[in-house]
Amino acid sequence: MTQKKGIAILGSTGSIGTQALEVLESYPDHFDLQVITAGKNADLLITQAIKHQPNSVVITDESQYLYVKEALKNQDIHVYAGAEALCQVVESSEVHVVLTALVGYAGLKPTLRAIEAKKTIALANKETLVVAGELVTKMAREHGVNIYPVDSEHSAIFQCLVGEFHNPIEKIYLTASGGPFRGWSAEQLASVTRAQALKHPNWSMGAKITIDSATLMNKGLEVIEAKWLFNLRPDQIDVIVHPQSIVHSLVQFEDGSMKAQMGLPDMKLPIQFALTYPDRLPTTFPRFNFMDYPQLTFEAPSRDVFRNLGLAYDAMDTGGTAACILNAANEVAVEAYLNDQIHFTDIARINEATLNAVQSQSTPVYEDFVRSDEEARAFARGRIK
Ligand code: NAD
Ligand code: MG
């Protein structure tokens, strides 16, 4: 038996984080849980800490530090608080792999710090690559760090590429379920409720990505994520709607051959593969049965109705910090939508207005991303009545 992998899970209380803990629990001989962290959900973090006995926990919301510290006072667990602590815990020598399962721009800094500390990255937090893909991948190359995708589509591409890394990719197809409003007109979309938008047909996920899936922003973010992960031009990345979510994505090679990765939708599989690559460990996950899916169907996404997908391509064309600006606008707009401040169709409107108004910085360094993020957030907030 080789050495156990020390794992840090940033965002352990979320949808990906809780599923990652299930994966780790299934393979105690392979993994050693070192760190778990949460944004605000102190109670779940405490429960997880007592059950899974990590070396350290971080609650990012500093006002809850004493509460967590008190609850864990009889445990042999270090308790830290704040965003800087999040960056420090990933640097521990006991941590080998950092699973970035927190949501949004907040993932950027700890991911950069983990790369600097030469930790392998299992990347769920797609916003990090959307915001600063050029910087993140450059730093990963310089530090000899591998970034393994957790996002199901990117895991699918990665799984198709195993054994093929020397073969150029002609193009990839990212599959999209189409979300709960597939086939709807712009007029119908204008009046959708939050409850409708939060009900994804095939996946149970955190609130932000669920809304992103309904607006197709999620697929736009994933196109940008794929560009950086697989070093592709935008014209090599296509999106195809596949409502059954069985084919998780496809690669087309230069001889025209296409490879797809398939299976029932279950995030535990891509989470596990990112942690065990190049090995596959046996699971008891339910298996796909063809007779339950006599038809797998494919259709073009409706780019006129779901503007966000096109905005992602626009941001890639502009380059610089444009994708960072789009991401910031979207984080502000989605939060406002979840707080009942704007309509569903305002999300893409705010994203488009912000992308057009805020100046992208070319050849950006870290501080340029911070500034573009702030400027875009301020502009987007100004569009919320
Ligand atoms: P979630 O909202 O369920 O969980 C987010 C986690 O991050 C929680 O533990 C929360 O406490 C923590 N967090 C939130 N804001 C934070 C902040 N400012 N600072 C520190 N911690 C913070 O989200 P999720 O659905 O698990 O998604 C996590 C990431 O994985 C996202 O980037 C998402 O796009 C990506 N992803 C999720 C899924 C999925 O099935 N849920 C699939 C593919 C990719
Ligand atoms: Mg995905």
Side-chain angles (χ1 to χ4, degrees):
M1 181 78 224
T2 48
Q3 191 197 5
K4 285 190 201 181
K5 276 184 193 165
I7 311 285
I9 305 178
L10 307 185
S12 64
T13 57
S15 162
I16 294 288
T18 50
Q19 294 181 84
L21 284 173
E22 284 179 48
V23 169
L24 263 55
E25 208 179 358
S26 305
Y27 305 103
D29 294 343
H30 287 78
F31 303 119
D32 183 12
L33 182 65
Q34 285 292 324
V35 179
I36 55 176
T37 82
K40 293 195 171 72
N41 193 344
D43 288 321
L44 183 53
L45 184 69
I46 291 163
T47 307
Q48 290 179 337
I50 292 169
K51 179 168 179 202
H52 297 280
Q53 293 290 317
N55 184 47
S56 310
V57 304
V58 179
I59 180 84
T60 312
D61 176 5
E62 292 181 59
S63 71
Q64 301 197 70
Y65 171 70
L66 290 177
Y67 178 67
V68 178
K69 179 96 183 138
E70 175 66 20
L72 297 179
K73 69 168 188 257
N74 296 324
Q75 311 285 327
D76 187 15
I77 299 173
H78 301 282
V79 178
Y80 305 102
E84 178 55 26
L86 206 58
C87 294
Q88 284 171 3
V89 283
V90 299
E91 295 172 344
S92 153
S93 61
E94 305 296 315
V95 172
H96 305 118
V97 183
V98 177
L99 171 62
T100 64
L102 31 58
V103 57
Y105 175 84
L108 176 60
K109 209 168 175 191
T111 306
L112 291 174
R113 289 281 286 271
I115 292 172
E116 277 171 341
K118 295 189 165 42
K119 308 302 180 185
T120 299
I121 307 293
L123 185 124
N125 175 241
K126 66 190 83 183
E127 293 90 345
T128 282
L129 278 187
V130 171
V131 168
E134 192 167 0
L135 176 68
V136 171
T137 51
K138 180 167 162 274
M139 276 183 55
R141 271 195 309 276
E142 284 170 3
H143 289 87
V145 163
N146 287 319
I147 302 178
Y148 296 126
V150 169
D151 215 344
S152 58
E153 296 77 1
H154 306 72
S155 175
I157 303 286
F158 181 58
Q159 292 181 58
C160 293
L161 289 176
V162 173
E164 304 263 16
F165 291 117
H166 61 295
N167 285 324
I169 296 170
E170 187 165 87
K171 72 183 288 187
I172 65 171
Y173 289 91
L174 298 179
T175 51
S177 70
F181 309 128
R182 181 174 61 90
W184 287 39
S185 67
E187 295 72 42
Q188 286 173 303
L189 277 189
S191 59
V192 304
T193 65
R194 198 175 59 164
Q196 285 173 305
L198 279 172
K199 207 167 162 4
H200 193 277
N202 302 338
W203 301 94
S204 162
M205 309 178 287
K208 194 252 174 186
I209 182 174
T210 305
I211 300 301
D212 285 346
S213 299
T215 65
L216 287 203
M217 188 72 255
N218 183 51
K219 212 48 57 178
L221 300 178
E222 291 185 354
V223 169
I224 303 173
E225 181 186 13
K227 169 188 156 72
W228 295 116
L229 277 174
F230 305 115
N231 193 20
L232 299 171
R233 299 185 311 273
D235 64 281
Q236 291 176 292
I237 310 169
D238 216 336
V239 170
I240 188 84
V241 173
H242 167 47
Q244 298 82 18
S245 297
I246 296 297
V247 177
H248 297 308
S249 280
L250 308 94
V251 180
Q252 181 175 307
F253 294 97
E254 288 187 325
D255 60 357
S257 176
M258 298 173 85
K259 282 169 90 173
Q261 188 263 337
M262 298 171 60
L264 292 175
D266 185 340
M267 283 309 295
K268 287 202 285 299
L269 180 73
I271 292 170
Q272 175 170 320
F273 192 68
L275 298 177
T276 65
Y277 170 82
D279 300 325
R280 292 184 184 275
L281 299 184
T283 73
T284 55
F285 305 157
R287 271 25 179 186
F288 174 75
N289 179 348
F290 279 94
M291 296 312 119
D292 293 339
Y293 293 87
Q295 290 194 46
L296 297 179
T297 61
F298 301 90
E299 61 197 49
S302 173
R303 289 171 190 262
D304 298 339
V305 178
F306 296 96
R307 280 284 304 135
N308 279 329
L309 185 54
L311 295 181
Y313 282 90
D314 293 348
M316 285 190 293
D317 284 346
T318 306
T321 58
C324 169
I325 291 164
L326 176 60
N327 177 73
N330 186 59
E331 288 190 19
V332 169
V334 171
E335 194 183 339
Y337 179 69
L338 287 170
N339 290 332
D340 279 329
Q341 292 171 287
I342 58 173
H343 294 294
F344 184 79
T345 41
D346 291 333
I347 299 174
R349 247 196 299 278
I350 290 170
N351 290 348
E352 183 159 17
T354 310
L355 186 62
N356 289 336
V358 179
Q359 181 70 40
S360 163
Q361 310 292 316
S362 55
T363 54
V365 295
Y366 177 74
E367 288 70 26
D368 295 314
F369 293 111
V370 175
R371 197 170 58 241
S372 282
D373 178 77
E374 281 170 6
E375 283 180 24
R377 278 170 203 271
F379 183 89
R381 282 199 195 99
R383 307 291 287 204
I384 295 161
K385 286 143 251 161

